[in-house]
Amino acid sequence: MCASVKKIGFQPKIKACDICCSESGFCRDCCCILCCGCVDSARGGFSFIRCQAILEKDLTCGHVAHIDCALRAYMAGTVGGSIGLDAEYYCRRCDNKTDLIQHVIKMMEICKSFDSPDDIEKVLNLGSCILFGSEKVRAKKLRYSIGTIVSKLNLGISLTDIWKAENDFLTVSAAPSGKEVVLLDSSENSRADTPIESICDAGNSFHNVPNEREREGPLYITSDHKIVSAKLEDEIDRALHNLKKSQESEYKIAEEKLYAQKDFLLSLYQQLEAERGDLGRQAPLSNGRDSDALLTIVLTRVDQIKNEEMKLKQMMRIADGFGRTPGTILRECFDILVDD
């Protein structure tokens, strides 16, 4: 095993690799899979991430990458497109994703052992880059906390006071009932806000079996108005975003249907004009049956145009919004199935 890995007590059960690990001079345990440079295991190894995705039975991937390299390669943080990352790391070797929120929490814990404000700010800025742009509630709260710490560092507040305040922000005490107390959060997080110590002791595993107290269900409380504010702001932003998307979709449907009806109506007018021309060109002494047939066609077309104009006016009631438009109009004119 690589000596640098032994420093942090990492004892992986990793799957054999005959691709990058076959390259001369490359060590999976200590070489970044992106730049091939050595990772620094000092101070808890905060500067790199190890992919612990389970590939076969209890065998993991085990490849490492510098956080900075992964951010620059758009393989970490929040990345759109086909890769679709949200505060996550994408392993180039096995194509698995790793949640980086716990890694940022680990970075914040490691910072407590630093004596230099400059070193602390450097690590926290890296953590902030990881969380930037994330839509996750936890990520937003952590990034807010990081910003608060950096601001206090720049104001010259003592490290003791800074970490005391952050401990109050990130952890809460046990409730009298003996149940675990966690911060109020969205339902997507089952162990999202357990104390930092508990998360770190879990070894960053994503498959921990809940203990008996967790099965009983945690007692949800709010420990700080900043947490509630971040949660509510996230929910409001999400609701408005979804509303905007639904309205854009409804607008597109209405636009397509209204203009299609207009084009159909214009085609009827063009047919009426041609049919009136045919009727006008009939000689006065020509066959009366032909004239009667053409007249019937013209009158039928006029009735059709009146009906389609009435339909278009009904369709334009969509201007009041889909919610205020009668269900019959939505079904018959816009192909939208709704309950009356």
Side-chain angles (χ1 to χ4, degrees), residues 47-114:
S47 62
F48 69 92
I49 183 72
R50 184 180 301 278
C51 178
Q52 296 186 22
I54 298 176
L55 304 182
E56 289 182 5
K57 298 181 180 178
D58 59 345
L59 300 179
T60 63
C61 174
H63 289 78
V64 299
H66 291 117
I67 293 292
D68 188 59
C69 288
L71 288 170
R72 293 175 185 274
Y74 298 100
M75 292 186 176
T78 299
V79 181
S82 58
I83 192 170
L85 300 179
D86 190 351
E88 296 169 303
Y89 163 68
Y90 177 83
C91 178
R92 191 178 70 175
R93 174 62 183 86
C94 69
D95 297 327
N96 281 293
K97 299 177 183 179
T98 300
D99 183 9
L100 289 178
I101 292 179
Q102 294 187 17
H103 189 80
V104 175
I105 294 173
K106 175 185 174 182
M107 294 167 68
M108 295 176 69
E109 280 293 291
I110 291 173
C111 284
K112 295 180 181 180
S113 65
F114 293 179

Side-chain angles (χ1 to χ4, degrees), residues 41-316:
S41 299
R43 293 178 170 178
F46 70 86
S47 62
F48 69 92
I49 183 72
R50 184 180 301 278
C51 178
Q52 296 186 22
I54 298 176
L55 304 182
E56 289 182 5
K57 298 181 180 178
D58 59 345
L59 300 179
T60 63
C61 174
H63 289 78
V64 299
H66 291 117
I67 293 292
D68 188 59
C69 288
L71 288 170
R72 293 175 185 274
Y74 298 100
M75 292 186 176
T78 299
V79 181
S82 58
I83 192 170
L85 300 179
D86 190 351
E88 296 169 303
Y89 163 68
Y90 177 83
C91 178
R92 191 178 70 175
R93 174 62 183 86
C94 69
D95 297 327
N96 281 293
K97 299 177 183 179
T98 300
D99 183 9
L100 289 178
I101 292 179
Q102 294 187 17
H103 189 80
V104 175
I105 294 173
K106 175 185 174 182
M107 294 167 68
M108 295 176 69
E109 280 293 291
I110 291 173
C111 284
K112 295 180 181 180
S113 65
F114 293 179
D115 296 324
S116 169
D118 290 338
D119 290 343
I120 294 174
E121 185 172 355
K122 180 180 178 181
V123 175
L124 292 181
N125 285 338
L126 182 61
S128 181
C129 289
I130 293 173
L131 303 175
F132 178 78
S134 174
E135 292 296 324
K136 296 179 180 178
V137 175
R138 295 176 64 200
K140 289 184 176 183
K141 290 190 293 186
L142 277 175
R143 193 162 187 267
Y144 177 87
S145 181
I146 289 174
T148 301
I149 297 173
V150 173
S151 297
K152 291 178 179 179
L153 288 173
N154 293 331
L155 291 173
I157 298 176
S158 69
L159 296 180
T160 302
D161 291 339
I162 291 176
W163 296 129
K164 182 179 182 301
E166 287 307 309
N167 284 337
D168 293 339
F169 178 75
L170 292 171
T171 64
V172 291
S173 60
S177 63
K179 290 186 178 181
E180 178 189 3
V181 180
V182 298
L183 300 178
L184 182 63
D185 203 350
S186 61
S187 59
E188 67 184 18
N189 302 319
S190 59
R191 56 189 289 272
D193 294 295
T194 51
I196 293 179
E197 292 80 8
S198 299
I199 295 175
C200 293
D201 291 342
N204 288 335
S205 172
F206 302 105
H207 306 283
N208 293 328
V209 179
N211 56 37
E212 290 300 322
R213 291 196 302 174
E214 287 174 332
R215 291 192 184 99
E216 292 175 5
L219 176 64
Y220 290 90
I221 66 170
T222 57
S223 64
D224 196 301
H225 72 278
K226 292 182 288 187
I227 299 174
V228 178
S229 176
K231 174 181 179 294
L232 295 179
E233 183 178 346
D234 179 75
E235 292 179 349
I236 291 172
D237 288 345
R238 189 175 302 170
L240 291 175
H241 176 71
N242 291 337
L243 174 63
K244 183 178 180 181
K245 286 183 62 177
S246 65
Q247 288 178 336
E248 289 176 349
S249 176
E250 291 175 353
Y251 178 86
K252 185 175 180 180
I253 292 173
E255 182 182 36
E256 291 178 353
K257 293 293 184 180
L258 287 171
Y259 277 105
Q261 179 65 12
K262 183 213 71 170
D263 292 340
F264 178 61
L265 193 54
L266 290 180
S267 69
L268 294 180
Y269 272 105
Q270 292 172 353
Q271 293 178 47
L272 176 62
E273 183 178 355
E275 290 161 356
R276 280 178 172 172
D278 293 340
L279 180 61
R281 284 191 291 272
Q282 284 288 328
L285 299 179
S286 61
N287 191 325
R289 292 181 179 178
D290 293 340
S291 297
D292 291 343
L294 288 174
L295 180 60
T296 300
I297 291 174
V298 169
L299 294 177
T300 301
R301 190 71 64 196
V302 170
D303 289 338
Q304 184 182 9
I305 289 174
K306 288 180 179 180
N307 291 332
E308 294 302 327
E309 283 184 337
M310 186 178 299
K311 179 180 177 180
L312 180 58
K313 290 181 179 179
Q314 289 291 318
M315 292 175 68
M316 286 191 286

